[in-house]
Amino acid sequence: MTPSDLIFSLVLITRLPGCFCGVTTVEDHSVLEGESVVIPCHYEPQYAGYVKYWCHGKMKDFCTSLARSDAPWTPAGQGKVVLFDDPVQQVFTVTMKNLQEADSGWYWCGVEVGGVWSADVTASLHINVFQGLSVVNRMLRGEEGSSITVQCLYSQGLRLTEKRWCRSGDWSSCVLTDSEGRYEDQAVEIRDNLTNAFTVTLKSLAQKDTGWYWCAAGQKQLPVHIFVATPATTVLVAKMTSTPEDTESKFVPTPPSSPPRLISNGAEHHRTLWEYSLMVCGVLFIVLVLVLLPWKIQVQYKVLALFSEACGQTKLEADALLQQIQDNTFLFLFVTFRKL
């Protein structure tokens, strides 16, 4: 490679867009016709004192400048493009108002560096301006009994078309605006500003209102989902103030709690006392049995010993007979307790 080729290559590299990532910006944008857009352009600290600009065109070297930080107004910007530079935050923002389809194309955030050996640092993005319809929020939530408002935006090409609000799957439910851009009944209210937006207000929401709807202008339509929730319940607890000047009750919302258990003074209360008395008697009976049982066995043993001695039985035979008596006694007690 000759020295001239090397010099040419270095110059070419420095002329590449966004070289060394000195400037960054957001991704491509799609904007409804007639709306505005705000684009942030971030730059590195060493470029804080340089001139910033915003231009339109496929190639940055031949783009049309719409706004500059050293010129608040340019003829090409036509007063609808504003550039504001914030060196502290190291960002400059560009606001474009009332966009039209002709404004679609490539745009460049640029820092004017200048010089033969250095190119401007830039970043590009594509803005697409379309005609049609958009919804500010397509997923809305409200509570029973309250109201909810849907904001539908449209481009200038749909300004004179009728605006509709329909329940999805039921075209007979559609309501239309009149020549003044209005419609109202007990459940729905539509207001069209005849410029770029109309609002739909659903009144006195109920559970049956949950579902999908269509926000429509002309042949354009977009889905909107409405969810109606049951309102949270609260319990009011009266709290009396202690000051003599104010004797009114103050109510403090508290979370719901389980209802207190009611104790009656009737049959249920007497039945509880009866059960308690029976339990005490049962315990006393068991204690009495445990005390008398050893005594009874001892008496039986003495009687049996005398009987055996009188009849001439051996001690082993007497012990076997005593064991049989004890087993019969325990069996009697077991059967007795089972019947209780």
Side-chain angles (χ1 to χ4, degrees), residues 291-301 325 329 332:
V291 171
L292 294 178
L293 181 61
W295 175 81
K296 181 179 179 182
I297 293 175
Q298 186 178 7
V299 171
Q300 288 179 348
Y301 182 81
I325 294 174
T329 302
F332 171 76

PDB file of all heavy atoms in Angstrom, residues 291-301 325 329 332:
ATOM      1  N   VAL A 291     -58.626 -45.992  92.318  1.00  0.00           N
ATOM      2  CA  VAL A 291     -58.318 -46.138  93.753  1.00  0.00           C
ATOM      3  C   VAL A 291     -58.886 -47.448  94.304  1.00  0.00           C
ATOM      4  O   VAL A 291     -58.231 -48.167  95.087  1.00  0.00           O
ATOM      5  CB  VAL A 291     -58.866 -44.929  94.524  1.00  0.00           C
ATOM      6  CG1 VAL A 291     -58.748 -45.162  96.028  1.00  0.00           C
ATOM      7  CG2 VAL A 291     -58.108 -43.673  94.116  1.00  0.00           C
ATOM      8  N   LEU A 292     -60.116 -47.769  93.918  1.00  0.00           N
ATOM      9  CA  LEU A 292     -60.780 -48.953  94.481  1.00  0.00           C
ATOM     10  C   LEU A 292     -60.290 -50.255  93.878  1.00  0.00           C
ATOM     11  O   LEU A 292     -60.390 -51.316  94.505  1.00  0.00           O
ATOM     12  CB  LEU A 292     -62.296 -48.841  94.290  1.00  0.00           C
ATOM     13  CG  LEU A 292     -62.992 -47.709  95.061  1.00  0.00           C
ATOM     14  CD1 LEU A 292     -64.482 -47.699  94.743  1.00  0.00           C
ATOM     15  CD2 LEU A 292     -62.763 -47.859  96.555  1.00  0.00           C
ATOM     16  N   LEU A 293     -59.796 -50.219  92.637  1.00  0.00           N
ATOM     17  CA  LEU A 293     -59.394 -51.462  91.974  1.00  0.00           C
ATOM     18  C   LEU A 293     -58.272 -52.194  92.726  1.00  0.00           C
ATOM     19  O   LEU A 293     -58.387 -53.399  92.967  1.00  0.00           O
ATOM     20  CB  LEU A 293     -58.983 -51.157  90.527  1.00  0.00           C
ATOM     21  CG  LEU A 293     -58.564 -52.378  89.694  1.00  0.00           C
ATOM     22  CD1 LEU A 293     -59.743 -53.365  89.587  1.00  0.00           C
ATOM     23  CD2 LEU A 293     -58.126 -51.943  88.306  1.00  0.00           C
ATOM     24  N   PRO A 294     -57.159 -51.519  93.090  1.00  0.00           N
ATOM     25  CA  PRO A 294     -56.123 -52.266  93.846  1.00  0.00           C
ATOM     26  C   PRO A 294     -56.646 -52.816  95.164  1.00  0.00           C
ATOM     27  O   PRO A 294     -56.287 -53.932  95.582  1.00  0.00           O
ATOM     28  CB  PRO A 294     -55.048 -51.200  94.066  1.00  0.00           C
ATOM     29  CG  PRO A 294     -55.282 -50.190  92.995  1.00  0.00           C
ATOM     30  CD  PRO A 294     -56.760 -50.154  92.827  1.00  0.00           C
ATOM     31  N   TRP A 295     -57.495 -52.038  95.823  1.00  0.00           N
ATOM     32  CA  TRP A 295     -58.045 -52.503  97.116  1.00  0.00           C
ATOM     33  C   TRP A 295     -58.895 -53.743  96.911  1.00  0.00           C
ATOM     34  O   TRP A 295     -58.809 -54.703  97.677  1.00  0.00           O
ATOM     35  CB  TRP A 295     -58.863 -51.378  97.733  1.00  0.00           C
ATOM     36  CG  TRP A 295     -59.571 -51.792  99.002  1.00  0.00           C
ATOM     37  CD1 TRP A 295     -59.049 -51.869 100.248  1.00  0.00           C
ATOM     38  CD2 TRP A 295     -60.927 -52.197  99.111  1.00  0.00           C
ATOM     39  NE1 TRP A 295     -59.970 -52.287 101.144  1.00  0.00           N
ATOM     40  CE2 TRP A 295     -61.168 -52.500 100.461  1.00  0.00           C
ATOM     41  CE3 TRP A 295     -61.971 -52.321  98.192  1.00  0.00           C
ATOM     42  CZ2 TRP A 295     -62.397 -52.928 100.922  1.00  0.00           C
ATOM     43  CZ3 TRP A 295     -63.203 -52.742  98.650  1.00  0.00           C
ATOM     44  CH2 TRP A 295     -63.415 -53.043 100.004  1.00  0.00           C
ATOM     45  N   LYS A 296     -59.710 -53.745  95.847  1.00  0.00           N
ATOM     46  CA  LYS A 296     -60.567 -54.900  95.589  1.00  0.00           C
ATOM     47  C   LYS A 296     -59.743 -56.141  95.272  1.00  0.00           C
ATOM     48  O   LYS A 296     -60.051 -57.258  95.727  1.00  0.00           O
ATOM     49  CB  LYS A 296     -61.513 -54.571  94.426  1.00  0.00           C
ATOM     50  CG  LYS A 296     -62.456 -55.717  94.099  1.00  0.00           C
ATOM     51  CD  LYS A 296     -63.373 -55.320  92.958  1.00  0.00           C
ATOM     52  CE  LYS A 296     -64.310 -56.483  92.616  1.00  0.00           C
ATOM     53  NZ  LYS A 296     -65.200 -56.163  91.486  1.00  0.00           N
ATOM     54  N   ILE A 297     -58.689 -55.973  94.502  1.00  0.00           N
ATOM     55  CA  ILE A 297     -57.831 -57.116  94.149  1.00  0.00           C
ATOM     56  C   ILE A 297     -57.160 -57.689  95.405  1.00  0.00           C
ATOM     57  O   ILE A 297     -57.043 -58.901  95.580  1.00  0.00           O
ATOM     58  CB  ILE A 297     -56.799 -56.686  93.108  1.00  0.00           C
ATOM     59  CG1 ILE A 297     -57.491 -56.353  91.769  1.00  0.00           C
ATOM     60  CG2 ILE A 297     -55.758 -57.775  92.879  1.00  0.00           C
ATOM     61  CD1 ILE A 297     -56.566 -55.813  90.720  1.00  0.00           C
ATOM     62  N   GLN A 298     -56.726 -56.779  96.292  1.00  0.00           N
ATOM     63  CA  GLN A 298     -56.066 -57.229  97.532  1.00  0.00           C
ATOM     64  C   GLN A 298     -57.033 -58.030  98.396  1.00  0.00           C
ATOM     65  O   GLN A 298     -56.680 -59.067  98.980  1.00  0.00           O
ATOM     66  CB  GLN A 298     -55.518 -56.016  98.288  1.00  0.00           C
ATOM     67  CG  GLN A 298     -54.696 -56.393  99.519  1.00  0.00           C
ATOM     68  CD  GLN A 298     -54.122 -55.176 100.216  1.00  0.00           C
ATOM     69  OE1 GLN A 298     -54.454 -54.048  99.842  1.00  0.00           O
ATOM     70  NE2 GLN A 298     -53.280 -55.408 101.212  1.00  0.00           N
ATOM     71  N   VAL A 299     -58.259 -57.563  98.498  1.00  0.00           N
ATOM     72  CA  VAL A 299     -59.254 -58.274  99.301  1.00  0.00           C
ATOM     73  C   VAL A 299     -59.542 -59.641  98.700  1.00  0.00           C
ATOM     74  O   VAL A 299     -59.625 -60.670  99.405  1.00  0.00           O
ATOM     75  CB  VAL A 299     -60.526 -57.429  99.423  1.00  0.00           C
ATOM     76  CG1 VAL A 299     -61.654 -58.249 100.068  1.00  0.00           C
ATOM     77  CG2 VAL A 299     -60.255 -56.178 100.241  1.00  0.00           C
ATOM     78  N   GLN A 300     -59.681 -59.675  97.381  1.00  0.00           N
ATOM     79  CA  GLN A 300     -59.943 -60.949  96.719  1.00  0.00           C
ATOM     80  C   GLN A 300     -58.804 -61.929  96.926  1.00  0.00           C
ATOM     81  O   GLN A 300     -59.017 -63.139  97.064  1.00  0.00           O
ATOM     82  CB  GLN A 300     -60.194 -60.722  95.221  1.00  0.00           C
ATOM     83  CG  GLN A 300     -61.526 -60.064  94.915  1.00  0.00           C
ATOM     84  CD  GLN A 300     -61.719 -59.845  93.433  1.00  0.00           C
ATOM     85  OE1 GLN A 300     -60.770 -59.987  92.661  1.00  0.00           O
ATOM     86  NE2 GLN A 300     -62.935 -59.508  93.039  1.00  0.00           N
ATOM     87  N   TYR A 301     -57.593 -61.403  96.923  1.00  0.00           N
ATOM     88  CA  TYR A 301     -56.432 -62.279  97.103  1.00  0.00           C
ATOM     89  C   TYR A 301     -56.448 -62.921  98.495  1.00  0.00           C
ATOM     90  O   TYR A 301     -56.184 -64.114  98.664  1.00  0.00           O
ATOM     91  CB  TYR A 301     -55.153 -61.478  96.906  1.00  0.00           C
ATOM     92  CG  TYR A 301     -53.899 -62.319  97.015  1.00  0.00           C
ATOM     93  CD1 TYR A 301     -53.451 -63.078  95.957  1.00  0.00           C
ATOM     94  CD2 TYR A 301     -53.164 -62.362  98.220  1.00  0.00           C
ATOM     95  CE1 TYR A 301     -52.316 -63.864  96.057  1.00  0.00           C
ATOM     96  CE2 TYR A 301     -52.032 -63.146  98.316  1.00  0.00           C
ATOM     97  CZ  TYR A 301     -51.603 -63.895  97.255  1.00  0.00           C
ATOM     98  OH  TYR A 301     -50.481 -64.668  97.346  1.00  0.00           O
ATOM     99  N   ILE A 325     -59.540 -63.978  87.831  1.00  0.00           N
ATOM    100  CA  ILE A 325     -60.455 -62.971  88.397  1.00  0.00           C
ATOM    101  C   ILE A 325     -60.036 -61.567  87.959  1.00  0.00           C
ATOM    102  O   ILE A 325     -60.882 -60.740  87.594  1.00  0.00           O
ATOM    103  CB  ILE A 325     -60.465 -63.088  89.936  1.00  0.00           C
ATOM    104  CG1 ILE A 325     -61.078 -64.417  90.345  1.00  0.00           C
ATOM    105  CG2 ILE A 325     -61.217 -61.925  90.559  1.00  0.00           C
ATOM    106  CD1 ILE A 325     -61.003 -64.697  91.841  1.00  0.00           C
ATOM    107  N   THR A 329     -62.070 -58.827  85.754  1.00  0.00           N
ATOM    108  CA  THR A 329     -62.316 -57.474  86.280  1.00  0.00           C
ATOM    109  C   THR A 329     -61.946 -56.407  85.257  1.00  0.00           C
ATOM    110  O   THR A 329     -62.706 -55.468  85.023  1.00  0.00           O
ATOM    111  CB  THR A 329     -61.521 -57.263  87.576  1.00  0.00           C
ATOM    112  OG1 THR A 329     -61.897 -58.265  88.516  1.00  0.00           O
ATOM    113  CG2 THR A 329     -61.791 -55.885  88.144  1.00  0.00           C
ATOM    114  N   PHE A 332     -64.437 -56.285  82.534  1.00  0.00           N
ATOM    115  CA  PHE A 332     -65.643 -55.588  82.961  1.00  0.00           C
ATOM    116  C   PHE A 332     -65.465 -54.070  82.891  1.00  0.00           C
ATOM    117  O   PHE A 332     -66.339 -53.334  82.428  1.00  0.00           O
ATOM    118  CB  PHE A 332     -65.979 -56.027  84.380  1.00  0.00           C
ATOM    119  CG  PHE A 332     -67.079 -55.203  85.010  1.00  0.00           C
ATOM    120  CD1 PHE A 332     -68.398 -55.379  84.676  1.00  0.00           C
ATOM    121  CD2 PHE A 332     -66.753 -54.210  85.937  1.00  0.00           C
ATOM    122  CE1 PHE A 332     -69.398 -54.612  85.241  1.00  0.00           C
ATOM    123  CE2 PHE A 332     -67.749 -53.429  86.508  1.00  0.00           C
ATOM    124  CZ  PHE A 332     -69.076 -53.646  86.160  1.00  0.00           C
TER     125      PHE A 332
END
